[in-house]
Amino acid sequence: MSMFVVLLIGYLVSNCYSHQRDYCWKEYLGSVPPDAVIAGETLDGQNVYVGQAFIKNVGLIPGRVIPGDPKLHVPHDGQSKEGKYIKILCGPQDNFYWLKANSTDLHHLITDQHPVVGGHDESNGYLNVGRISVGGDTKVGKVDSFRVEHANFYYSDGQAEKLTKSYEILMYRHKILL
Ligand SMILES: *[C@@H]1O[C@H](CO)[C@@H](O)[C@H](O)[C@H]1NC(C)=O
């Protein structure tokens, strides 16, 4: 490998922002980077962040990160599963917004806008990031956006996976449009 390639890879790894996107997923081992994107709060007032984790034979699934907890539980197949290789979404907070959506109208609502890709389901395709507030507790999970007119939102709740049809989806402002 030439020195140029080595330097280029080093640059890309240290600066995970690309020229097309203003956000990136950083490795998460329990401490929250200062530029992590805040999604809301827990009932006891802690910030909630956006994470993603890998589950073998399933894919890369979005869920919520809570400070001090190095684990990430993600919704899958009716259950809340503990994922591996956790990452946390980082970037300028002002470049993100949450759009009110529902499972039937999602695809019309996001036309010409940019939902954050939060992972993928190995058998179906891309997953986006959703959130809802359950009595003041912010839940973050996956939006099955590959199912047109059935783009439901799923999140972990204790040991279970819960589904809702009305939620907010995480969007970002494209640099070119700014
Ligand atoms: C879905 O969202 C659209 C746009 O906000 C709204 O017009 C529609 O009534 C919603 N549908 C349901 C089932 O909530």
Side-chain angles (χ1 to χ4, degrees), residues 161-175:
E161 173 186 65
K162 295 269 172 72
L163 177 164
T164 70
K165 291 177 183 292
S166 289
Y167 50 86
E168 290 178 304
I169 184 168
L170 181 59
M171 312 290 291
Y172 74 97
R173 298 178 212 284
H174 205 278
K175 263 188 195 173

Side-chain angles (χ1 to χ4, degrees), residues 100-106 109 165-166:
K100 200 169 160 22
N102 56 55
S103 54
T104 40
D105 287 24
L106 176 68
L109 295 169
K165 291 177 183 292
S166 289

Side-chain angles (χ1 to χ4, degrees), residues 86-106:
I86 300 164
K87 293 198 171 170
I88 185 166
L89 182 65
C90 296
Q93 190 83 32
D94 288 350
N95 289 4
F96 296 89
Y97 60 100
W98 295 86
L99 180 73
K100 200 169 160 22
N102 56 55
S103 54
T104 40
D105 287 24
L106 176 68

Side-chain angles (χ1 to χ4, degrees), residues 2-166:
S2 77
M3 186 52 98
F4 172 74
V5 173
V6 172
L7 288 175
L8 180 66
I9 291 170
Y11 171 78
L12 292 174
V13 169
S14 65
N15 177 356
C16 53
Y17 301 104
S18 75
H19 59 284
Q20 288 170 331
R21 287 184 284 115
D22 245 350
Y23 64 85
C24 71
W25 297 88
K26 293 184 182 171
E27 186 181 24
Y28 176 72
L29 298 170
S31 75
V32 174
D35 61 343
V37 176
I38 298 169
E41 17 184 81
T42 60
L43 280 179
D44 52 6
Q46 290 201 85
N47 281 340
V48 166
Y49 300 91
V50 178
Q52 65 176 195
F54 177 76
I55 299 188
K56 199 169 178 239
N57 301 326
V58 175
L60 193 57
I61 315 292
R64 80 169 181 177
V65 169
I66 298 173
D69 184 356
K71 294 186 175 157
L72 186 69
H73 292 88
V74 293
H76 173 66
D77 206 13
Q79 296 171 343
S80 175
K81 298 223 171 190
E82 192 180 322
K84 291 194 177 3
Y85 314 115
I86 300 164
K87 293 198 171 170
I88 185 166
L89 182 65
C90 296
Q93 190 83 32
D94 288 350
N95 289 4
F96 296 89
Y97 60 100
W98 295 86
L99 180 73
K100 200 169 160 22
N102 56 55
S103 54
T104 40
D105 287 24
L106 176 68
H107 294 84
H108 306 293
L109 295 169
I110 62 176
T111 305
D112 296 331
Q113 300 183 65
H114 305 275
V116 172
V117 174
H120 63 269
D121 177 310
E122 278 183 10
S123 21
N124 295 296
Y126 288 119
L127 295 170
N128 293 115
V129 179
R131 77 169 181 190
I132 54 162
S133 172
V134 180
D137 190 26
T138 303
K139 310 287 190 182
V140 174
K142 65 172 181 180
V143 176
D144 272 4
S145 31
F146 50 81
R147 287 192 220 285
V148 176
E149 297 191 354
H150 301 278
N152 295 327
F153 169 66
Y154 298 84
Y155 63 97
S156 286
D157 186 36
Q159 302 297 306
E161 173 186 65
K162 295 269 172 72
L163 177 164
T164 70
K165 291 177 183 292
S166 289

